């Protein structure tokens, strides 16, 4: 594997990232993207864009796993000491239809959870996601409904109240932020 990599034709994180300096919300394509691809302000792109390095760019995946080829951006996240692999699909069904993404997920799932969601849903607390857990079980979360598949059995539960509370707080924060950005004349 090579550690010296260039993004080349990939621009998937230009949808994923939140860039306050523009401003741009997470999960929407950047208005600075040129129609043929690439950044229209590359030489003076904000620090957030310069600093972001997905798992592939950091040399943690094979050379052929560049996100635009995989159809997903991969990252390692750490939520208060709980690491996980984040797979953000750039197109619906990317994970389902990719043997390579399944291989990568299986490798990481041996030790940490793998979360699968969509690149453009990053700011939406209601967005559905899948969680593949090291014990072999899988969760599908839609709204506050959690389906858990374990040893061939399906359990359905409602999200615990603390997570529901956090989710509704995030929804209010997101609505406030969207209103503020609209008031500033940004379409984002
Ligand atoms: S997703 Fe990774 S490879 Fe693609 S543009 Fe962003 S940092 Fe570069
Ligand atoms: S400013 Fe350029 S590098 Fe940054 S998100 Fe927009 S298109 Fe991508």
């Amino acid at each position: 594997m090579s550690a010296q990599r260039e993004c080349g034709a990939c621009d998937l994180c230009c949808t994923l990232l939140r860039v306050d300096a523009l401003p741009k919300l997470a999960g929407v394509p950047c208005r600075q993207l040129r129609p043929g691809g690439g950044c229209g302000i590359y030489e003076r792109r904000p620090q957030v864009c310069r600093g972001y390095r997905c798992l592939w760019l950091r040399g943690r995946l094979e050379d052929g796993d560049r996100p635009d080829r995989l159809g997903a951006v991969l990252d390692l996240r750490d939520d208060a000491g709980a690491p996980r692999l984040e797979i953000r699909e750039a197109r619906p069904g990317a994970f389902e239809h990719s043997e390579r993404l399944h291989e990568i997920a299986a490798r990481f799932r041996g030790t940490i959870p793998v979360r699968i969601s969509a690149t453009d849903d990053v700011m939406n607390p209601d967005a559905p996601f899948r969680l593949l857990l090291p014990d072999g079980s899988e969760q599908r979360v839609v709204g506050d409904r959690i389906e858990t598949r374990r040893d061939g059995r399906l359990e359905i539960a409602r999200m615990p109240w603390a997570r529901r509370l956090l989710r509704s707080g995030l929804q209010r924060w997101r609505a406030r932020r969207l209103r503020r950005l609209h008031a500033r004349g940004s379409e984002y």
Side-chain angles (χ1 to χ4, degrees), residues 14 19 22 24 30 32-33 39 41 45-46 49:
C14 297
V19 189
L22 291 174
K24 170 195 168 324
C30 183
Q32 303 299 339
L33 277 169
C39 176
I41 56 167
R45 67 197 185 286
C49 314

Side-chain angles (χ1 to χ4, degrees), residues 7 10-13 52-54 56-57 66-67 73:
C7 298
C10 181
D11 54 22
L12 295 192
C13 63
Y52 178 73
R53 295 170 70 78
C54 68
W56 177 82
L57 196 60
R66 201 175 70 188
V73 183

Side-chain angles (χ1 to χ4, degrees), residues 158-166:
R158 198 170 176 217
M159 192 175 278
W161 69 267
R163 277 178 70 187
R164 292 206 304 272
L165 202 66
L166 178 66

